[in-house]
Amino acid sequence: MSPDSRPAATGLHRATAFAPASVGNVAIGFDILGFAVDALGDRVTVSRRAEPGVGITAVRGVAGDLPLDPERNTAGRALLAMQEALNPGFGFQMEIDKGIPLGSGLGGSAASAVGAVVAANALLPEPVSKLELLKFAMQGEKVASGSLHVDNIAPSLFGGLVLTVGIDHPRVKQIPVPPGVRAVIVHPHMFLSTKQARAILKRTVELSDFVWQTANLAGFISGCYTNDLDMIRASFQDVVIEPQRQALIPGFHDVRRAAMDAGALGCSISGAGPTMFAWALAGHADAVLETMRREFGRHSIALDEWIVDAQSVGAYLIDK
Ligand code: HSE
């Protein structure tokens, strides 16, 4: 389905959606590039209620102590934005099952917001396009991180590797990933606040770093379109954000170096961290994971790990 096309009306009174986790930034696309990770995600159930507005009945799962006040909850804020814009004539009551750990850098706040708008859309007499849903979900992301970034929302909603250009009138492009590329994801069990990891960033960028980073983003995207793995490997490096954040992640340097030595195409921080990810061809993915696990292990941190296809699906409705 293209970003602008609308799904058919379902007439449902209750719907559940699964929204996948995501890796934001992908090293060189700070706030604008991300890919979906459907090995884990959040499930959101939305029901119609007579009273307008939004209510949250429960938040369960791996991050169960999130606020039930819809103004302070990412999924609640996204549905409030939807209500305000569409005024459907009924309210939304929501339950959230969190499958993505809080403060992991895997787009948990984005997934809840995306799951909420996808489920709520199925209740509307006239469902709106995914591009409209993106704007509502962005309002939710703002509650969590204090800024309107789209690099987790867009891949969680659309699936695959996604570039988003613009905030007020976002344009979304799903970028092809060369065949055989796997994403290796390693999540150390520690909490890192996205707000905090954004607050430490300098407001200015050196001209030489700007040139380097711009070249890397262009090289990476063109490498994806032309299956040029050498170009992807050469450009898969964040020279602006990663140097400022790496100290927040114990073992960052060793994990990255070991992944690259094991044949990764690139290795960096997933979103604001502390999760790290690498891209590797299928034949190298196990070895890359093994070395990342070993290096994180030197810091006695418990881990979750996944090897996934970098080209996965976005949020979808599920039968419950
Ligand atoms: N692009 C955002 C950041 C992602 O790096 O701060 C947060 O998950």
Side-chain angles (χ1 to χ4, degrees):
M1 194 188 296
S2 84
D4 288 322
S5 55
R6 293 159 183 249
T10 63
L12 291 173
H13 280 250
R14 177 182 172 92
T16 300
F18 172 85
S22 52
V23 167
N25 303 334
V26 199
I28 30 63
F30 181 65
D31 279 359
I32 58 170
L33 190 63
F35 65 88
V37 178
D38 63 2
L40 69 167
D42 290 354
R43 281 169 190 244
V44 184
T45 299
V46 182
S47 311
R48 288 194 196 197
R49 69 175 200 195
E51 182 194 344
V54 175
I56 304 175
T57 312
V59 183
R60 296 179 288 258
V62 296
D65 56 353
L66 291 168
L68 296 180
D69 172 4
E71 284 286 357
R72 295 174 47 235
N73 179 294
T74 57
R77 190 69 202 92
L79 288 196
L80 285 168
M82 198 169 181
Q83 282 264 332
E84 284 154 20
L86 305 178
N87 196 14
F90 52 85
F92 296 130
Q93 195 67 30
M94 173 166 53
E95 294 171 42
I96 305 168
D97 288 287
K98 295 289 300 176
I100 306 172
L102 207 60
S104 61
L106 285 166
S109 54
S112 292
V114 167
V117 297
V118 169
N121 202 33
L123 311 184
L124 298 178
E126 291 180 39
V128 300
S129 70
K130 281 192 177 181
L131 215 43
E132 289 301 313
L133 296 182
L134 180 78
K135 295 179 199 168
F136 303 140
M138 280 164 64
Q139 298 298 326
E141 182 71 299
K142 195 176 173 187
V143 175
S145 69
S147 72
L148 276 171
H149 60 271
V150 287
D151 52 329
N152 293 113
I153 296 280
S156 182
L157 183 58
F158 288 89
L161 175 65
V162 181
L163 173 73
T164 310
V165 176
I167 291 287
D168 293 335
H169 301 287
R171 285 168 174 79
V172 170
K173 190 63 94 177
Q174 285 171 294
I175 311 285
V177 177
V181 170
R182 298 282 180 271
V184 179
I185 320 259
V186 182
H187 164 230
H189 289 192
M190 54 180 276
F191 174 89
L192 198 53
S193 145
T194 300
K195 265 188 193 157
Q196 207 181 328
R198 295 179 78 81
I200 63 163
L201 299 176
K202 287 186 280 195
R203 303 289 114 184
T204 54
V205 176
E206 288 287 335
L207 186 59
S208 56
D209 287 343
F210 170 77
V211 173
W212 194 356
Q213 191 89 342
T214 312
N216 283 353
L217 178 58
F220 181 85
I221 300 284
S222 64
C224 283
Y225 272 102
T226 56
N227 290 339
D228 185 342
L229 297 180
D230 178 61
M231 177 64 103
I232 290 175
R233 188 183 284 109
S235 54
F236 211 134
Q237 191 186 354
D238 172 7
V239 298
V240 174
I241 306 297
E242 188 181 283
Q244 302 181 64
R245 284 181 169 170
Q246 57 196 25
L248 302 174
I249 303 173
F252 169 86
H253 278 295
D254 296 335
V255 172
R256 184 174 190 281
R257 195 194 53 241
M260 297 309 290
D261 288 349
L265 295 165
C267 175
S268 186
I269 304 168
S270 172
T275 294
M276 291 184 67
F277 79 99
W279 271 19
L281 286 177
H284 290 126
D286 285 333
V288 168
L289 174 60
E290 174 64 36
T291 58
M292 291 174 77
R293 181 197 298 137
R294 187 191 66 221
E295 294 304 326
F296 264 132
R298 290 187 204 281
H299 297 266
S300 306
I301 306 173
L303 306 170
D304 300 314
E305 53 193 45
W306 301 271
I307 296 177
V308 297
D309 197 326
Q311 195 83 285
S312 62
V313 299
Y316 52 88
L317 292 171
I318 52 179
D319 293 326
K320 257 193 116 186

